């Protein structure tokens, strides 16, 4: 991080911190089984589940920490957690 | 697939909360309800640390942190200045249970007694989680924390949870409510109502902490639901000191809630501590009577 006079850093946004690297399990969304209720987007602590134009949802893997709340809460069981391979 | 553009969250991704964090979800829902025209005052705590590591911020609204104990005092000052300048921003305090129940009590009592037009929201994860799970005034009976460890000579925290909503209602607060992140729509509605009620309003939101309580990150919502379904947490609204509405449930035995968490494991292993579990069940029963939360079927009523 470049420091300025007085060692004060420039203000920034948390968005530049890509928390997706923390993930151990990856949520895989199956849009064909989605009922478009939007609960996954509501319960995501990161707010990184995004609505698509079709009304279904996709996760932003740049930020998803893989907590599995969306998969656990999905009433249609249309989200599956699979082990991340890096 | 095309993404819907222009739907930016006010509480942004990229914050450093643990995966499955209850308070992070609470912060998102608070800003969803409050909107842009808001000033957030934070106390020291998990949320302050994970959302604003220097020099970054996850908040899309003006945000200020001063000390552990004085969020309510800072908010009082901001509210008075805004009123003087004829501005329309709403002032919200977002503080943890340690800052609310223990350290900030003096300033909160002052702000509520002066009846500043602020909304004070306590995200209650039932211990000081940021510094490594020390007990607070909000820690429930028999929970094991690092300062109330369960062992041969101890069954965990010795004292029940402080009843802070009633203390603040006794200050004459026009609107006091408890909520849970497991019921997001209800929580959002309560925040909206508190913000639009003139005077000092208080909301206490149950926010399960997977790290401190010891459960799988994917279970955060389920644990919060169990707390309500066992009667150990009651979602209610108090208007001018009178309980106006409480969420009714078909109650489950408290063991279901306790067994799911590591902090209560000593109540079941090596031998079940029936006497202690009965004490906790009695607290749930007392809640059920006090708030009338039991759903009774027609045959049971007769």
């Amino acid at each position: 991080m470049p420091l300025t006079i007085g060692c004060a850093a420039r203000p920034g946004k948390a968005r530049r911190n890509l928390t997706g690297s923390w993930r151990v399990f990856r949520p895989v969304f199956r849009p064909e089984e989605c009922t478009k209720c939007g609960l996954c987007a509501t319960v995501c602590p990161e707010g990184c589940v995004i609505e698509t134009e079709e009304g279904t949802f996709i996760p932003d893997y740049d930020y998803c920490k893989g907590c599995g709340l969306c998969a656990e809460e999905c009433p249609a069981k249309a989200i599956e957690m699979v082990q991340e391979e890096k | 697939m095309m993404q819907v553009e222009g739907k930016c969250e006010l509480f942004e991704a990229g914050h450093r909360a643990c995966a499955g964090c209850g308070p992070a979800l609470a912060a998102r829902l608070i800003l969803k309800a409050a909107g842009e025209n808001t000033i957030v005052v934070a106390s020291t705590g998990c949320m302050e640390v994970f959302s604003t590591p220097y020099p970054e911020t996850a908040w899309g609204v003006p945000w200020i942190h001063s000390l552990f104990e004085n969020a309510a005092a800072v908010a009082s000052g901001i509210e008075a200045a805004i009123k003087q300048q004829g501005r329309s921003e709403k002032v919200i305090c977002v503080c943890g249970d340690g800052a609310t129940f223990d350290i900030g009590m003096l300033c909160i009592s002052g702000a509520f007694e002066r009846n500043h037009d602020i909304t004070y929201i306590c995200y209650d994860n039932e211990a000081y989680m940021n510094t490594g799970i020390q007990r607070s005034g909000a820690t429930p009976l028999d929970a094991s924390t690092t300062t109330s460890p369960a062992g041969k000579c101890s069954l965990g925290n010795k004292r029940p949870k402080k009843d802070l909503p009633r203390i603040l209602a006794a200050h004459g607060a026009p609107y006091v409510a408890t909520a849970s992140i497991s019921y997001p729509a209800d929580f959002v509605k309560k925040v909206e109502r508190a913000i639009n009620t003139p005077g000092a309003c208080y909301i206490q939101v149950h926010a399960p902490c997977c790290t401190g309580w010891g459960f799988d990150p994917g279970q955060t919502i389920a644990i919060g639901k169990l707390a309500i379904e066992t009667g150990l947490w009651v979602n209610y609204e108090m208007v001018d000191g009178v309980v106006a509405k409480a969420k009714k449930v078909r109650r489950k035995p408290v063991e279901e809630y306790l067994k799911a968490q590591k902090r209560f494991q000593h109540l079941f292993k090596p031998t079940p501590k029936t006497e202690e579990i009965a004490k906790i069940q009695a607290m749930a029963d007392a809640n059920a009577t006090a708030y009338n939360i039991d759903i009774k079927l027609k045959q049971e009523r007769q």
Side-chain angles (χ1 to χ4, degrees):
Chain A
M1 182 194 303
L3 292 176
T4 53
I5 296 164
C7 282
R10 288 180 166 281
K13 288 232 157 209
R15 273 218 164 249
R16 74 176 177 202
N17 180 40
L18 303 182
T19 48
S21 59
W22 300 14
R23 200 167 52 242
V24 180
F25 289 94
R26 159 194 288 260
V28 177
F29 285 52
R30 291 189 291 264
E32 63 281 3
E33 290 171 37
C34 176
T35 57
K36 305 179 181 178
C37 70
L39 200 59
C40 50
T42 306
V43 301
C44 176
E46 314 308 314
C48 69
V49 177
I50 306 149
E51 195 177 350
T52 62
E53 265 185 0
E54 291 88 59
T56 58
F57 292 84
I58 47 163
D60 186 341
Y61 289 120
D62 280 348
Y63 298 100
C64 170
K65 293 170 185 165
C67 67
L69 266 179
C70 50
E72 196 68 38
E73 294 305 313
C74 177
K77 298 278 162 246
I79 306 168
E80 193 189 349
M81 299 303 288
V82 292
Q83 180 125 28
E84 194 76 63
E85 279 171 36
K86 281 171 187 164
Chain B
M1 277 189 292
M2 275 287 290
Q3 289 177 17
V4 177
E5 292 291 330
K7 266 189 158 183
C8 210
E9 290 260 346
L10 282 174
F11 187 77
E12 283 191 330
H15 58 73
R16 270 80 155 178
C18 307
C21 176
L25 177 52
R28 266 194 66 215
L29 296 172
I30 290 166
L31 283 195
K32 212 177 214 177
E36 271 182 346
N37 200 27
T38 306
I39 295 173
V40 174
V41 183
S43 64
T44 308
C46 251
M47 197 181 284
E48 175 245 336
V49 170
F50 77 62
S51 67
T52 58
Y54 181 78
E56 294 167 7
T57 179
W59 299 85
V61 294
W63 178 95
I64 181 171
H65 164 252
S66 171
L67 296 170
F68 213 138
E69 65 274 26
N70 66 355
V74 171
S76 304
I78 293 173
E79 186 266 344
I82 279 175
K83 208 195 250 168
Q84 186 64 29
Q85 292 171 17
R87 285 160 60 175
S88 64
E89 286 101 323
K90 299 289 181 185
V91 185
I92 301 179
C93 292
V94 184
C95 309
D97 57 283
T100 307
F101 284 63
D102 306 344
I103 301 177
M105 200 57 220
L106 178 83
C107 292
I108 297 164
S109 185
F112 275 71
E113 176 266 316
R114 294 187 301 268
N115 203 23
H116 284 282
D117 188 12
I118 59 170
T119 300
Y120 193 104
I121 302 173
C122 166
Y123 65 94
D124 184 2
N125 51 16
E126 303 189 329
Y128 292 86
M129 296 313 183
N130 166 46
T131 44
I133 316 148
Q134 288 85 16
R135 78 166 285 279
S136 76
T139 307
L141 183 71
D142 285 341
S144 179
T145 68
T146 49
T147 46
S148 64
K152 273 182 197 158
C153 309
S154 160
L155 284 162
N157 188 37
K158 288 194 179 77
R159 299 285 305 155
K161 200 182 180 85
K162 192 196 277 187
D163 194 355
L164 198 64
R166 281 189 180 274
I167 295 173
L168 292 176
H171 281 69
Y175 182 72
V176 171
T178 57
S180 168
I181 57 146
S182 303
Y183 296 89
D186 172 70
F187 177 42
V188 167
K189 224 163 63 191
K190 282 172 177 166
V191 174
E192 278 169 0
R193 179 159 181 192
I195 289 171
N196 293 318
T197 305
C201 301
Y202 177 70
I203 295 176
Q204 189 170 307
V205 57
H206 202 219
C209 166
C210 43
T211 312
W213 300 9
F215 58 82
D216 194 68
Q219 297 298 315
T220 307
I221 302 270
I223 294 280
K225 273 194 184 143
L226 268 179
I228 287 181
E229 284 164 358
T230 53
L232 286 171
W233 182 274
V234 184
N235 265 1
Y236 63 86
E237 285 180 300
M238 276 168 104
V239 180
D240 296 320
V242 183
V243 178
K245 212 165 87 183
K247 183 173 169 57
K248 295 202 178 243
V249 286
R250 290 287 284 174
R251 268 196 305 138
K252 294 178 174 172
V254 291
E255 280 96 332
E256 285 189 34
Y257 176 66
L258 304 175
K259 259 189 187 154
Q261 302 167 59
K262 215 169 157 189
R263 60 175 177 160
F264 292 117
Q265 279 317 293
H266 57 283
L267 297 179
F268 301 96
K269 286 175 196 166
T271 50
K273 315 274 190 306
T274 347
E275 208 177 292
E276 287 303 307
I277 297 169
K279 268 191 215 167
I280 298 172
Q281 184 62 56
M283 286 163 64
D285 295 344
N287 275 346
T289 325
Y291 297 99
N292 192 22
I293 57 168
D294 280 329
I295 296 174
K296 291 196 179 89
L297 295 177
K298 259 189 186 163
Q299 310 120 290
E300 289 169 13
R301 271 194 217 131
Q302 283 157 4

